[in-house]
Amino acid sequence: MIADRLGVSVTTVARAINGSPKTSAGMAERVNRVAEELGYVRNMEGVKLRTGRTYVLAALLKFPSDTEIGDPTLLGLLQGIHQRCRDTDYSVRTIIAPETGEDTIELERLVKGRGCDGVVLDHTSLQDRRVKYLLEAGMPFITFGRTELFSPHAFFDVDNEFAAWQGTSELIRRGHRNIALLDGPEAYTYVRQRMTGYRRALAEAGLSYREELVRNLDPQADAARLAAAELVRTTGVDGIVCVNDVVLMGARRGVRDAAPERFKNFGFSVRSGTNLGDYLETRPVTSYFSRIDAGWSLADMLIRRIEGQPVEELQKLVRTELR
Amino acid sequence: MIADRLGVSVTTVARAINGSPKTSAGMAERVNRVAEELGYVRNMEGVKLRTGRTYVLAALLKFPSDTEIGDPTLLGLLQGIHQRCRDTDYSVRTIIAPETGEDTIELERLVKGRGCDGVVLDHTSLQDRRVKYLLEAGMPFITFGRTELFSPHAFFDVDNEFAAWQGTSELIRRGHRNIALLDGPEAYTYVRQRMTGYRRALAEAGLSYREELVRNLDPQADAARLAAAELVRTTGVDGIVCVNDVVLMGARRGVRDAAPERFKNFGFSVRSGTNLGDYLETRPVTSYFSRIDAGWSLADMLIRRIEGQPVEELQKLVRTELR
């Protein structure tokens, strides 16, 4: 239609729209003016064919199980990723990561089916098979969390050891002495780091580490509720360090289930990226880092990785603040 | 590579992989076996070029504002949409809807840039401009919520009038008499329907409708907190009907801010698609419909719409259950 209107060839118009140096300034202006009049929108499919790129960022994220509150931190992460991509050519394809282990099936589909230009991974493990696969496949990616692999890769992480140390230390400062830890499965890097931070805070305060006060569980509300109730019934626990918002909600409920009279003076700390704590009856000690900011950084660093920035410059560790 | 391995032409292999009737059963089997050995994955970009389809579902959803708890119901919706698309050729592209009004810019980009095969819209209004645009553009879509347009379109909705009636009636049954309503902006269809249900429940119980007990607000925790505190300070309110989980969290906090001594006997009801209520100190009256099921149905009906099912068969209204 643009070519018809201007009485020139389709090739001439195509050259102008794609910014070819063969186009004169006058022709470029005429083509763009008519394109605007006709409501032309750049066809991303055409751009993709020409550049061999998909302009898709894949976010392979673990979702909470069906029956739960729904982890508000995951939503923040997604929101941040989307905010970074807004008004860019990139769109976001979210993929629910398989519940079990480090399945690479989804990633193989993405890589072989050319489904994206880069990948965001969360729930990283020490020797993460998915990371190994992406390194080998040469697909740009960034992990939310670190690994112990020899090959460097882009990552963004909240200092988990520090966050757990911070939350535990603050509970100790407030007079709690029998502090439990409700955390995720030990396979994840962040859980190992958190357990180190928890032990360090206890040691610094001269408190002994008691294995029976540590629970590694699927970090969901119902599991946390049962674990907290059992801890209250079987130990002299007076405070709980919680790995996330839903574990906090479950732990609070579990303490009330087992010993409502102890709830009022019970201490809770949580690593959170939301302001949920402001709305609870008793405010938990909160180690805060915005999940929206985390998502934004992950997408930003991934785009820079796709565009060629070296991985060594794309490794960022941030600290939680006490709230 | 497959052709080389079998010593046949590339055309023969392509035919076999695309299920051409010109391929013999023996050849199809040989090609598929070698394809599997070589780790061949169907190139969706090729499929898209051949079919002229994108195999992308766009979900244009309103996200909560930055500073809030993060609405867990939205996560459930996304999770349901993804669960339906899992193990299909469809991928999901989530787009954050603009905060303001019924902007069609994002939709025009999608339609003109051929960014998707169909759209999920939420937060529908009575004369929704986005719906009008999509009807005119001939783009398949489904709304979460109804409109008052005469042109039929696919929708999935929770019976909002019923849900508000149900929550209000149950608070009345429990002895509350001065029941406020904290709801969204009146522009949305679902809010109109909820206000009707609330008034009907009051009328059935012989209670008079008092305009000062109704607040239409941005349904977020902080706004709800302020509104609830003000209601408690200025009226004899003894119960609040809340439009969603975050408004419930805010309202509970607001009541405690203004009159902690009244909190214990205060009544709350909420329309919810999560089990958040199970984890609070006092259990709210809950009108429940799973957000995951809602998301699943939206994606399922949209796919059927894309595949040609008439809109009249793709209109579904479900009811909340009291929990």
Side-chain angles (χ1 to χ4, degrees), chain A residues 265-292:
Chain A
N265 295 313
F266 212 91
F268 292 96
S269 87
V270 64
R271 184 191 64 162
S272 176
T274 73
N275 60 358
L276 177 71
D278 293 345
Y279 292 93
L280 300 175
E281 275 72 356
T282 49
R283 217 187 164 294
V285 169
T286 303
S287 285
Y288 178 84
F289 186 84
S290 161
R291 287 293 147 165
I292 294 177

PDB file of all heavy atoms in Angstrom, chain A residues 265-292:
ATOM      1  N   ASN A 265       4.487 -13.583  72.392  1.00  0.00           N
ATOM      2  CA  ASN A 265       5.896 -13.261  72.643  1.00  0.00           C
ATOM      3  C   ASN A 265       6.851 -14.021  71.728  1.00  0.00           C
ATOM      4  O   ASN A 265       8.056 -14.013  71.931  1.00  0.00           O
ATOM      5  CB  ASN A 265       6.235 -13.545  74.108  1.00  0.00           C
ATOM      6  CG  ASN A 265       5.456 -12.621  75.032  1.00  0.00           C
ATOM      7  OD1 ASN A 265       5.400 -11.411  74.806  1.00  0.00           O
ATOM      8  ND2 ASN A 265       4.823 -13.201  76.051  1.00  0.00           N
ATOM      9  N   PHE A 266       6.275 -14.681  70.753  1.00  0.00           N
ATOM     10  CA  PHE A 266       7.076 -15.468  69.821  1.00  0.00           C
ATOM     11  C   PHE A 266       7.743 -14.527  68.820  1.00  0.00           C
ATOM     12  O   PHE A 266       7.153 -13.529  68.410  1.00  0.00           O
ATOM     13  CB  PHE A 266       6.161 -16.454  69.098  1.00  0.00           C
ATOM     14  CG  PHE A 266       6.842 -17.734  68.734  1.00  0.00           C
ATOM     15  CD1 PHE A 266       6.837 -18.820  69.596  1.00  0.00           C
ATOM     16  CD2 PHE A 266       7.503 -17.853  67.522  1.00  0.00           C
ATOM     17  CE1 PHE A 266       7.472 -20.004  69.254  1.00  0.00           C
ATOM     18  CE2 PHE A 266       8.146 -19.025  67.176  1.00  0.00           C
ATOM     19  CZ  PHE A 266       8.135 -20.107  68.036  1.00  0.00           C
ATOM     20  N   GLY A 267       8.974 -14.846  68.427  1.00  0.00           N
ATOM     21  CA  GLY A 267       9.670 -14.018  67.438  1.00  0.00           C
ATOM     22  C   GLY A 267       9.659 -14.661  66.057  1.00  0.00           C
ATOM     23  O   GLY A 267       9.853 -15.867  65.925  1.00  0.00           O
ATOM     24  N   PHE A 268       9.400 -13.846  65.039  1.00  0.00           N
ATOM     25  CA  PHE A 268       9.467 -14.349  63.664  1.00  0.00           C
ATOM     26  C   PHE A 268      10.380 -13.441  62.858  1.00  0.00           C
ATOM     27  O   PHE A 268      10.301 -12.210  62.985  1.00  0.00           O
ATOM     28  CB  PHE A 268       8.079 -14.343  63.005  1.00  0.00           C
ATOM     29  CG  PHE A 268       7.125 -15.337  63.594  1.00  0.00           C
ATOM     30  CD1 PHE A 268       6.218 -14.949  64.586  1.00  0.00           C
ATOM     31  CD2 PHE A 268       7.122 -16.655  63.171  1.00  0.00           C
ATOM     32  CE1 PHE A 268       5.338 -15.858  65.145  1.00  0.00           C
ATOM     33  CE2 PHE A 268       6.233 -17.577  63.722  1.00  0.00           C
ATOM     34  CZ  PHE A 268       5.341 -17.174  64.716  1.00  0.00           C
ATOM     35  N   SER A 269      11.205 -14.035  62.015  1.00  0.00           N
ATOM     36  CA  SER A 269      11.893 -13.219  61.023  1.00  0.00           C
ATOM     37  C   SER A 269      11.645 -13.840  59.652  1.00  0.00           C
ATOM     38  O   SER A 269      11.361 -15.028  59.540  1.00  0.00           O
ATOM     39  CB  SER A 269      13.391 -13.103  61.319  1.00  0.00           C
ATOM     40  OG  SER A 269      14.092 -14.172  60.751  1.00  0.00           O
ATOM     41  N   VAL A 270      11.722 -13.004  58.641  1.00  0.00           N
ATOM     42  CA  VAL A 270      11.421 -13.491  57.296  1.00  0.00           C
ATOM     43  C   VAL A 270      12.290 -12.762  56.277  1.00  0.00           C
ATOM     44  O   VAL A 270      12.608 -11.582  56.435  1.00  0.00           O
ATOM     45  CB  VAL A 270       9.917 -13.278  56.971  1.00  0.00           C
ATOM     46  CG1 VAL A 270       9.539 -11.798  56.927  1.00  0.00           C
ATOM     47  CG2 VAL A 270       9.526 -13.942  55.645  1.00  0.00           C
ATOM     48  N   ARG A 271      12.704 -13.476  55.257  1.00  0.00           N
ATOM     49  CA  ARG A 271      13.314 -12.842  54.089  1.00  0.00           C
ATOM     50  C   ARG A 271      12.173 -12.553  53.139  1.00  0.00           C
ATOM     51  O   ARG A 271      11.428 -13.457  52.763  1.00  0.00           O
ATOM     52  CB  ARG A 271      14.308 -13.791  53.420  1.00  0.00           C
ATOM     53  CG  ARG A 271      15.029 -13.134  52.253  1.00  0.00           C
ATOM     54  CD  ARG A 271      15.807 -14.138  51.428  1.00  0.00           C
ATOM     55  NE  ARG A 271      14.915 -15.109  50.802  1.00  0.00           N
ATOM     56  CZ  ARG A 271      15.262 -15.879  49.772  1.00  0.00           C
ATOM     57  NH1 ARG A 271      16.475 -15.811  49.283  1.00  0.00           N
ATOM     58  NH2 ARG A 271      14.400 -16.734  49.254  1.00  0.00           N
ATOM     59  N   SER A 272      11.979 -11.293  52.800  1.00  0.00           N
ATOM     60  CA  SER A 272      10.806 -10.942  52.018  1.00  0.00           C
ATOM     61  C   SER A 272      11.124  -9.880  50.986  1.00  0.00           C
ATOM     62  O   SER A 272      12.002  -9.046  51.173  1.00  0.00           O
ATOM     63  CB  SER A 272       9.712 -10.432  52.961  1.00  0.00           C
ATOM     64  OG  SER A 272       8.593 -10.006  52.216  1.00  0.00           O
ATOM     65  N   GLY A 273      10.369  -9.908  49.917  1.00  0.00           N
ATOM     66  CA  GLY A 273      10.493  -8.877  48.901  1.00  0.00           C
ATOM     67  C   GLY A 273       9.187  -8.125  48.752  1.00  0.00           C
ATOM     68  O   GLY A 273       8.948  -7.438  47.762  1.00  0.00           O
ATOM     69  N   THR A 274       8.308  -8.266  49.757  1.00  0.00           N
ATOM     70  CA  THR A 274       7.005  -7.597  49.740  1.00  0.00           C
ATOM     71  C   THR A 274       6.814  -6.874  51.070  1.00  0.00           C
ATOM     72  O   THR A 274       7.668  -6.949  51.945  1.00  0.00           O
ATOM     73  CB  THR A 274       5.852  -8.619  49.584  1.00  0.00           C
ATOM     74  OG1 THR A 274       5.701  -9.339  50.814  1.00  0.00           O
ATOM     75  CG2 THR A 274       6.124  -9.596  48.462  1.00  0.00           C
ATOM     76  N   ASN A 275       5.706  -6.182  51.224  1.00  0.00           N
ATOM     77  CA  ASN A 275       5.431  -5.530  52.504  1.00  0.00           C
ATOM     78  C   ASN A 275       4.299  -6.229  53.269  1.00  0.00           C
ATOM     79  O   ASN A 275       3.596  -5.608  54.059  1.00  0.00           O
ATOM     80  CB  ASN A 275       5.136  -4.038  52.308  1.00  0.00           C
ATOM     81  CG  ASN A 275       3.934  -3.812  51.423  1.00  0.00           C
ATOM     82  OD1 ASN A 275       3.345  -4.773  50.927  1.00  0.00           O
ATOM     83  ND2 ASN A 275       3.554  -2.568  51.232  1.00  0.00           N
ATOM     84  N   LEU A 276       4.182  -7.537  53.044  1.00  0.00           N
ATOM     85  CA  LEU A 276       3.176  -8.343  53.743  1.00  0.00           C
ATOM     86  C   LEU A 276       3.237  -8.146  55.253  1.00  0.00           C
ATOM     87  O   LEU A 276       2.199  -8.027  55.917  1.00  0.00           O
ATOM     88  CB  LEU A 276       3.388  -9.829  53.408  1.00  0.00           C
ATOM     89  CG  LEU A 276       2.467 -10.831  54.097  1.00  0.00           C
ATOM     90  CD1 LEU A 276       1.046 -10.737  53.543  1.00  0.00           C
ATOM     91  CD2 LEU A 276       2.984 -12.253  53.932  1.00  0.00           C
ATOM     92  N   GLY A 277       4.454  -8.082  55.802  1.00  0.00           N
ATOM     93  CA  GLY A 277       4.634  -7.973  57.247  1.00  0.00           C
ATOM     94  C   GLY A 277       3.915  -6.784  57.871  1.00  0.00           C
ATOM     95  O   GLY A 277       3.495  -6.837  59.025  1.00  0.00           O
ATOM     96  N   ASP A 278       3.759  -5.707  57.089  1.00  0.00           N
ATOM     97  CA  ASP A 278       3.067  -4.516  57.599  1.00  0.00           C
ATOM     98  C   ASP A 278       1.614  -4.800  57.935  1.00  0.00           C
ATOM     99  O   ASP A 278       0.986  -4.028  58.657  1.00  0.00           O
ATOM    100  CB  ASP A 278       3.062  -3.396  56.538  1.00  0.00           C
ATOM    101  CG  ASP A 278       4.461  -2.869  56.295  1.00  0.00           C
ATOM    102  OD1 ASP A 278       5.347  -3.145  57.113  1.00  0.00           O
ATOM    103  OD2 ASP A 278       4.656  -2.177  55.273  1.00  0.00           O
ATOM    104  N   TYR A 279       1.053  -5.851  57.368  1.00  0.00           N
ATOM    105  CA  TYR A 279      -0.383  -6.090  57.484  1.00  0.00           C
ATOM    106  C   TYR A 279      -0.719  -7.219  58.455  1.00  0.00           C
ATOM    107  O   TYR A 279      -1.866  -7.604  58.592  1.00  0.00           O
ATOM    108  CB  TYR A 279      -0.975  -6.357  56.100  1.00  0.00           C
ATOM    109  CG  TYR A 279      -0.910  -5.101  55.257  1.00  0.00           C
ATOM    110  CD1 TYR A 279       0.156  -4.843  54.418  1.00  0.00           C
ATOM    111  CD2 TYR A 279      -1.907  -4.134  55.370  1.00  0.00           C
ATOM    112  CE1 TYR A 279       0.235  -3.672  53.698  1.00  0.00           C
ATOM    113  CE2 TYR A 279      -1.835  -2.968  54.650  1.00  0.00           C
ATOM    114  CZ  TYR A 279      -0.761  -2.738  53.816  1.00  0.00           C
ATOM    115  OH  TYR A 279      -0.692  -1.571  53.110  1.00  0.00           O
ATOM    116  N   LEU A 280       0.310  -7.750  59.118  1.00  0.00           N
ATOM    117  CA  LEU A 280       0.058  -8.830  60.064  1.00  0.00           C
ATOM    118  C   LEU A 280      -0.115  -8.275  61.471  1.00  0.00           C
ATOM    119  O   LEU A 280       0.311  -7.164  61.771  1.00  0.00           O
ATOM    120  CB  LEU A 280       1.217  -9.830  60.024  1.00  0.00           C
ATOM    121  CG  LEU A 280       1.427 -10.470  58.644  1.00  0.00           C
ATOM    122  CD1 LEU A 280       2.660 -11.354  58.648  1.00  0.00           C
ATOM    123  CD2 LEU A 280       0.190 -11.258  58.221  1.00  0.00           C
ATOM    124  N   GLU A 281      -0.732  -9.073  62.354  1.00  0.00           N
ATOM    125  CA  GLU A 281      -1.036  -8.638  63.712  1.00  0.00           C
ATOM    126  C   GLU A 281       0.234  -8.261  64.459  1.00  0.00           C
ATOM    127  O   GLU A 281       0.268  -7.291  65.215  1.00  0.00           O
ATOM    128  CB  GLU A 281      -1.792  -9.745  64.459  1.00  0.00           C
ATOM    129  CG  GLU A 281      -3.294  -9.740  64.214  1.00  0.00           C
ATOM    130  CD  GLU A 281      -3.689 -10.210  62.823  1.00  0.00           C
ATOM    131  OE1 GLU A 281      -2.804 -10.483  61.980  1.00  0.00           O
ATOM    132  OE2 GLU A 281      -4.893 -10.297  62.550  1.00  0.00           O
ATOM    133  N   THR A 282       1.277  -9.093  64.303  1.00  0.00           N
ATOM    134  CA  THR A 282       2.558  -8.738  64.906  1.00  0.00           C
ATOM    135  C   THR A 282       3.575  -8.678  63.780  1.00  0.00           C
ATOM    136  O   THR A 282       3.664  -9.572  62.956  1.00  0.00           O
ATOM    137  CB  THR A 282       2.998  -9.801  65.926  1.00  0.00           C
ATOM    138  OG1 THR A 282       2.882 -11.094  65.317  1.00  0.00           O
ATOM    139  CG2 THR A 282       2.121  -9.759  67.169  1.00  0.00           C
ATOM    140  N   ARG A 283       4.331  -7.601  63.779  1.00  0.00           N
ATOM    141  CA  ARG A 283       5.238  -7.368  62.669  1.00  0.00           C
ATOM    142  C   ARG A 283       6.467  -8.252  62.763  1.00  0.00           C
ATOM    143  O   ARG A 283       7.166  -8.239  63.764  1.00  0.00           O
ATOM    144  CB  ARG A 283       5.655  -5.896  62.682  1.00  0.00           C
ATOM    145  CG  ARG A 283       5.786  -5.333  61.292  1.00  0.00           C
ATOM    146  CD  ARG A 283       6.351  -3.931  61.255  1.00  0.00           C
ATOM    147  NE  ARG A 283       6.768  -3.664  59.897  1.00  0.00           N
ATOM    148  CZ  ARG A 283       7.745  -4.290  59.291  1.00  0.00           C
ATOM    149  NH1 ARG A 283       8.425  -5.226  59.915  1.00  0.00           N
ATOM    150  NH2 ARG A 283       8.049  -3.987  58.047  1.00  0.00           N
ATOM    151  N   PRO A 284       6.759  -9.047  61.724  1.00  0.00           N
ATOM    152  CA  PRO A 284       7.967  -9.872  61.784  1.00  0.00           C
ATOM    153  C   PRO A 284       9.214  -9.028  61.528  1.00  0.00           C
ATOM    154  O   PRO A 284       9.128  -7.958  60.923  1.00  0.00           O
ATOM    155  CB  PRO A 284       7.767 -10.865  60.637  1.00  0.00           C
ATOM    156  CG  PRO A 284       6.905 -10.132  59.648  1.00  0.00           C
ATOM    157  CD  PRO A 284       6.015  -9.231  60.473  1.00  0.00           C
ATOM    158  N   VAL A 285      10.357  -9.497  62.025  1.00  0.00           N
ATOM    159  CA  VAL A 285      11.643  -8.942  61.603  1.00  0.00           C
ATOM    160  C   VAL A 285      11.785  -9.270  60.117  1.00  0.00           C
ATOM    161  O   VAL A 285      11.648 -10.428  59.724  1.00  0.00           O
ATOM    162  CB  VAL A 285      12.797  -9.612  62.389  1.00  0.00           C
ATOM    163  CG1 VAL A 285      14.144  -9.246  61.790  1.00  0.00           C
ATOM    164  CG2 VAL A 285      12.710  -9.243  63.864  1.00  0.00           C
ATOM    165  N   THR A 286      12.015  -8.260  59.293  1.00  0.00           N
ATOM    166  CA  THR A 286      12.021  -8.500  57.849  1.00  0.00           C
ATOM    167  C   THR A 286      13.372  -8.149  57.230  1.00  0.00           C
ATOM    168  O   THR A 286      13.859  -7.033  57.389  1.00  0.00           O
ATOM    169  CB  THR A 286      10.907  -7.682  57.168  1.00  0.00           C
ATOM    170  OG1 THR A 286       9.642  -8.033  57.757  1.00  0.00           O
ATOM    171  CG2 THR A 286      10.845  -7.969  55.679  1.00  0.00           C
ATOM    172  N   SER A 287      13.969  -9.129  56.561  1.00  0.00           N
ATOM    173  CA  SER A 287      15.157  -8.878  55.732  1.00  0.00           C
ATOM    174  C   SER A 287      14.639  -8.646  54.328  1.00  0.00           C
ATOM    175  O   SER A 287      14.221  -9.583  53.649  1.00  0.00           O
ATOM    176  CB  SER A 287      16.100 -10.079  55.741  1.00  0.00           C
ATOM    177  OG  SER A 287      16.781 -10.150  56.957  1.00  0.00           O
ATOM    178  N   TYR A 288      14.669  -7.387  53.899  1.00  0.00           N
ATOM    179  CA  TYR A 288      13.945  -7.004  52.690  1.00  0.00           C
ATOM    180  C   TYR A 288      14.849  -6.730  51.498  1.00  0.00           C
ATOM    181  O   TYR A 288      15.849  -6.012  51.604  1.00  0.00           O
ATOM    182  CB  TYR A 288      13.128  -5.745  52.998  1.00  0.00           C
ATOM    183  CG  TYR A 288      12.367  -5.208  51.806  1.00  0.00           C
ATOM    184  CD1 TYR A 288      11.119  -5.728  51.479  1.00  0.00           C
ATOM    185  CD2 TYR A 288      12.909  -4.197  51.006  1.00  0.00           C
ATOM    186  CE1 TYR A 288      10.419  -5.245  50.383  1.00  0.00           C
ATOM    187  CE2 TYR A 288      12.212  -3.712  49.906  1.00  0.00           C
ATOM    188  CZ  TYR A 288      10.971  -4.239  49.596  1.00  0.00           C
ATOM    189  OH  TYR A 288      10.288  -3.758  48.519  1.00  0.00           O
ATOM    190  N   PHE A 289      14.495  -7.315  50.386  1.00  0.00           N
ATOM    191  CA  PHE A 289      14.976  -6.806  49.097  1.00  0.00           C
ATOM    192  C   PHE A 289      13.823  -6.927  48.114  1.00  0.00           C
ATOM    193  O   PHE A 289      13.221  -7.987  47.992  1.00  0.00           O
ATOM    194  CB  PHE A 289      16.199  -7.561  48.579  1.00  0.00           C
ATOM    195  CG  PHE A 289      16.747  -6.923  47.327  1.00  0.00           C
ATOM    196  CD1 PHE A 289      17.622  -5.852  47.409  1.00  0.00           C
ATOM    197  CD2 PHE A 289      16.330  -7.343  46.067  1.00  0.00           C
ATOM    198  CE1 PHE A 289      18.092  -5.228  46.257  1.00  0.00           C
ATOM    199  CE2 PHE A 289      16.798  -6.719  44.913  1.00  0.00           C
ATOM    200  CZ  PHE A 289      17.680  -5.660  45.010  1.00  0.00           C
ATOM    201  N   SER A 290      13.520  -5.843  47.406  1.00  0.00           N
ATOM    202  CA  SER A 290      12.369  -5.816  46.512  1.00  0.00           C
ATOM    203  C   SER A 290      12.475  -6.878  45.426  1.00  0.00           C
ATOM    204  O   SER A 290      13.454  -6.933  44.683  1.00  0.00           O
ATOM    205  CB  SER A 290      12.251  -4.437  45.856  1.00  0.00           C
ATOM    206  OG  SER A 290      11.452  -4.527  44.690  1.00  0.00           O
ATOM    207  N   ARG A 291      11.472  -7.720  45.317  1.00  0.00           N
ATOM    208  CA  ARG A 291      11.430  -8.726  44.256  1.00  0.00           C
ATOM    209  C   ARG A 291      11.242  -8.087  42.890  1.00  0.00           C
ATOM    210  O   ARG A 291      11.662  -8.629  41.878  1.00  0.00           O
ATOM    211  CB  ARG A 291      10.296  -9.726  44.505  1.00  0.00           C
ATOM    212  CG  ARG A 291      10.568 -10.674  45.625  1.00  0.00           C
ATOM    213  CD  ARG A 291      11.693 -11.605  45.292  1.00  0.00           C
ATOM    214  NE  ARG A 291      12.420 -11.915  46.516  1.00  0.00           N
ATOM    215  CZ  ARG A 291      13.280 -12.906  46.632  1.00  0.00           C
ATOM    216  NH1 ARG A 291      13.543 -13.688  45.614  1.00  0.00           N
ATOM    217  NH2 ARG A 291      13.912 -13.117  47.760  1.00  0.00           N
ATOM    218  N   ILE A 292      10.556  -6.961  42.882  1.00  0.00           N
ATOM    219  CA  ILE A 292      10.372  -6.257  41.609  1.00  0.00           C
ATOM    220  C   ILE A 292      11.739  -5.782  41.104  1.00  0.00           C
ATOM    221  O   ILE A 292      12.081  -5.968  39.937  1.00  0.00           O
ATOM    222  CB  ILE A 292       9.382  -5.084  41.779  1.00  0.00           C
ATOM    223  CG1 ILE A 292       7.981  -5.631  42.093  1.00  0.00           C
ATOM    224  CG2 ILE A 292       9.344  -4.222  40.509  1.00  0.00           C
ATOM    225  CD1 ILE A 292       6.930  -4.568  42.366  1.00  0.00           C
TER     226      ILE A 292
END
